Structures are given as C-alpha cells and as structure tokens.
Amino acid sequence: QVQLVESGGGLVQAGGSLRLSCAASGRTSSRYTMGWFRQAPGKEREFVAAISWSGGSTYVADSVKGRFTISRDNAKNMVYLQMNRLKPEDTAVYYCAAQDRNGGIYYYSVERQYEYWGQGTQVTVSS
C-alpha cells in the first residue's frame, strides 16, 4: 500500500510554467511505475506521462510532448511533472498514480492498470 499526495497546482497565464509534485508514503520500498493523468471538466481522465522506477524510461502523451517532463527522486519518494508553455486546454485536475511492476514499465497509459491514486491538484491556465 502506498499513499500519494499531489501539490503544486494553481492558476497561471498561458505560456507560463508550473511544477507538480507527488509525495509517496507507505510501502515506498516497492519499485513502482509512476504516472500522471489529468481530467478536465466534463471530460474523461486522460494519460499525461509515465516513468519507470529507475527513471530510465519515460513516456508522454502527444498533447504535451515537448512541453511536459516527468521525473522522480526515489531517495525523496517524490515524482514531478514540469509543465512549460502551458495552454488553456491544459486546465484540469492532475493526478499522480502508481502501479507495482517490480521495476518494469507496462501498460503505462492505461488508467485501470494503476493501483494507487492521489487526490488530485487543480491546474488552471488562463488566456
């Protein structure tokens, strides 16, 4: 069991940047694959980015490629999402999630593969 808490959301103007953080606690010794998802008002939750336990493999959605970067610091039990050149369409609640794959990374964009979820943090981008 692992608990996840997101932070770092807020209101930013288009073109600006935010860094989201996800703090993990509990069974942090497991080699979790970590992901970021987002859900805009009235929309389905969608995949944003994922990272393997080692950090050696990362994946990002086409909609954010070149603008968003996922990273992690296992010594601090933290996962980050650096968001640059934000657009109004990036407005959403952002969630971090974890799946136990023993260091591997599989089905990284599939929501139901993630066992643990944070409460979400709101990101609002104004035009």
Side-chain angles (χ1 to χ4, degrees):
Q1 182 73 32
V2 63
Q3 294 78 48
L4 306 174
V5 179
E6 305 95 332
S7 62
L11 176 63
V12 64
Q13 292 187 339
S17 298
L18 284 174
R19 188 180 76 161
L20 305 183
S21 299
C22 177
S25 61
R27 192 179 173 181
T28 56
S29 60
S30 295
R31 298 192 293 171
Y32 294 106
T33 295
M34 301 297 298
W36 285 96
F37 291 76
R38 68 186 183 185
Q39 187 168 25
K43 305 291 185 180
E44 295 182 350
R45 189 152 54 187
E46 65 176 350
F47 169 76
V48 177
I51 187 168
S52 64
W53 176 82
S54 70
S57 298
T58 62
Y59 302 90
V60 297
D62 289 342
S63 59
V64 303
K65 192 172 186 177
R67 300 189 297 120
F68 290 12
T69 302
I70 187 171
S71 62
R72 67 192 299 165
D73 185 341
N74 290 342
K76 296 181 178 180
N77 296 320
M78 298 289 289
V79 181
Y80 306 99
L81 184 68
Q82 179 66 46
M83 306 184 296
N84 298 324
R85 303 194 305 279
L86 284 160
K87 304 175 181 179
E89 52 261 46
D90 295 319
T91 295
V93 176
Y94 283 72
Y95 300 88
C96 67
Q99 56 173 291
D100 189 349
R101 294 292 179 266
N102 195 33
I105 183 164
Y106 310 101
Y107 306 104
Y108 55 85
S109 66
V110 180
E111 179 181 344
R112 67 184 181 87
Q113 295 298 314
Y114 288 82
E115 302 169 75
Y116 309 106
W117 293 82
Q119 84 289 347
T121 186
Q122 177 71 47
V123 172
T124 302
V125 184
S126 63
S127 60

